[in-house]
Amino acid sequence: MAADEDPEPGPLVRMFAVTGGRARPVGEAFDVIAVVTTIGMPYDQAGLSPEHLAALRLATRPITVADIGTRLRLPLNITRVLLGDLRREGLVSIDPPAATAGVLNERIYQEVLNGLRAL
Amino acid sequence: MDYARSDTLAIKILIAGGFGVGKTTMVSAVSEIQPLSTEELLSDRGARVDDTSGVEAKTTTTVALDFGRITLREGLWIYLFGTPGQDRFWFMWDELAIGALGAVVLADTRRLGDAFPAVDFFEQRRIPYMVAVNLFDGARRHDPAVIRRALAVPAHVPLVPCDARDRESAKEVLLTLVRHAREMSRVGAN
Ligand SMILES: Nc1nc2c(ncn2[C@@H]2O[C@H](COP(=O)(O)OP(=O)(O)O)[C@@H](O)[C@H]2O)c(=O)[nH]1
Ligand SMILES: [Mg+2]
């Protein structure tokens, strides 16, 4: 596509700029339902985007990666890049979700079935 | 969402299927939050897109992802992720599928072939899955046995009709999936 056909970058392109063009988070991979907790606040907020700071505020109470994305209206993989940055800076911890297939037991299955029926 | 408690549990369920099969519709029907439907930017597998000069159009692509949530009780949530099953996006599915309770493959009788890649994916990775046939108006009704054969879905895998727009119908699909996943875990434990 010629440049003059696309004068304004779309919202996605602007968001991609927030991540510095990165599609993958730094460091160890984490689940979309991993639990994020803010463990520190930056001395100098200048280096962080408004999106980084918003994520930090949301995670002052533990919250999943997917929920942060929803609250910030950001695509999940962009959310993950931001959270990877915050983890690298030592500002958040990212813990695996409690329920992985291995720990789903009879009691949990039954609870999920009961819960769904009661909706 | 209070993850401060130690007995909190987040459960992940995937909704797969071809374009226009009703994934967004189904997530919307059961989610308690306005589902977040995003265009995810992906870099092709292995390709690093950390060139700070900007977006490398050649190495990135987008894929739709729907996210919804159901609170079953304080401390127990189902997270729904809906995204197309398409060959070039499997690396994203690989990540989404980790730790998932199971998957619903949505199928449309007018384009059954679109469900093949997703069925293959979950078969190969031994992730509990089921097929939900979305009954669009005007689509000819098919014998479930014929659909099962056409998709080469094994007999133990549930295959049910549904209306993705209907909350009760979508709930019934999820119930079927959870029962099936429980069954699979029992078999696996023996
Ligand atoms: N008649 C009918 N239309 C449906 C049904 N499910 C979805 N649709 C419509 O089909 C179109 C595609 O559905 P959508 O959920 O966006 O598909 P997706 O691409 O898989 O997310 C939308 O216009 C829906 O309103 C259904 O069960 N019956
Ligand atoms: Mg959709």
Side-chain angles (χ1 to χ4, degrees):
Chain A
M1 196 194 301
D4 58 340
E5 284 172 15
D6 194 12
E8 280 219 343
L12 197 56
V13 173
R14 283 199 305 276
M15 273 189 270
F16 206 36
V18 169
T19 70
R22 292 163 302 151
R24 318 281 307 158
V26 291
E28 199 191 326
F30 51 91
D31 201 288
V32 284
I33 58 171
V35 179
V36 184
T37 312
T38 297
I39 52 176
M41 280 295 174
Y43 292 112
D44 176 13
Q45 302 195 342
L48 295 172
S49 70
E51 289 83 1
H52 283 103
L53 293 171
L56 270 180
R57 280 191 296 272
L58 280 174
T60 50
R61 286 171 67 82
I63 182 171
T64 64
V65 173
D67 282 305
I68 291 175
T70 307
R71 298 284 293 276
L72 298 182
R73 312 296 303 170
L74 286 175
L76 266 183
N77 50 9
I78 286 176
T79 307
R80 284 206 287 195
V81 171
L82 298 178
L83 294 174
D85 295 345
L86 294 174
R87 177 177 62 182
R88 186 193 51 204
E89 298 300 317
L91 301 176
V92 300
S93 66
I94 303 177
D95 300 307
T100 53
V103 304
L104 286 179
N105 57 33
E106 276 292 323
R107 186 184 63 80
I108 295 166
Y109 281 117
Q110 197 54 53
E111 251 204 281
V112 172
L113 289 171
N114 295 344
L116 275 172
R117 280 194 206 99
L119 281 183
Chain B
M1 298 157 282
D2 189 351
Y3 285 90
R5 287 171 46 166
S6 60
D7 60 341
T8 58
L9 223 47
I11 283 166
K12 187 161 57 172
I13 289 179
L14 313 176
I15 314 286
F19 289 106
V21 77
K23 298 180 299 295
T24 303
T25 306
M26 179 172 269
V27 173
S28 310
V30 286
S31 178
E32 69 201 15
I33 52 171
Q34 175 76 20
L36 181 63
S37 297
T38 54
E39 288 275 302
E40 299 291 318
L41 264 170
L42 306 171
S43 58
D44 287 336
R45 177 169 227 141
R48 288 187 56 86
V49 195
D50 49 11
D51 178 349
T52 48
S53 66
V55 177
E56 286 291 335
K58 283 196 193 70
T59 54
T60 60
T61 182
T62 63
V63 60
L65 179 73
D66 304 311
F67 160 63
R69 191 184 67 218
I70 303 169
T71 301
L72 297 177
R73 64 159 165 78
E74 189 51 45
L76 184 60
W77 301 271
I78 292 177
Y79 286 84
L80 299 170
F81 294 93
T83 193
Q86 225 197 21
D87 290 342
R88 54 199 298 226
F89 302 144
W90 286 137
F91 61 94
M92 176 162 148
W93 272 106
D94 270 327
E95 284 185 356
L96 279 177
I98 295 169
L101 176 145
V104 176
V105 176
L106 270 175
D108 175 351
T109 54
R110 298 166 299 182
R111 291 168 294 172
L112 267 187
D114 290 1
F116 276 138
V119 166
D120 271 356
F121 178 87
F122 297 119
E123 276 289 336
Q124 280 171 24
R125 284 163 184 78
R126 307 186 144 279
I127 293 165
Y129 75 98
M130 63 176 292
V131 177
V133 182
N134 197 7
L135 297 178
F136 284 89
D137 309 324
R140 278 196 301 136
R141 298 292 183 262
H142 286 266
D143 179 356
V146 173
I147 299 174
R148 184 181 291 281
R149 221 173 310 129
L151 288 176
V153 170
H156 70 275
V157 172
L159 188 148
V160 301
C162 77
D163 182 336
R165 299 163 300 179
D166 181 66
R167 181 175 151 89
E168 288 306 312
S169 178
K171 248 173 65 177
E172 199 51 53
V173 166
L174 294 180
L175 278 167
T176 303
L177 176 68
V178 177
R179 277 191 220 104
H180 175 59
R182 179 177 62 177
E183 206 52 48
M184 292 290 92
S185 81
R186 283 173 179 163
V187 171
N190 289 335

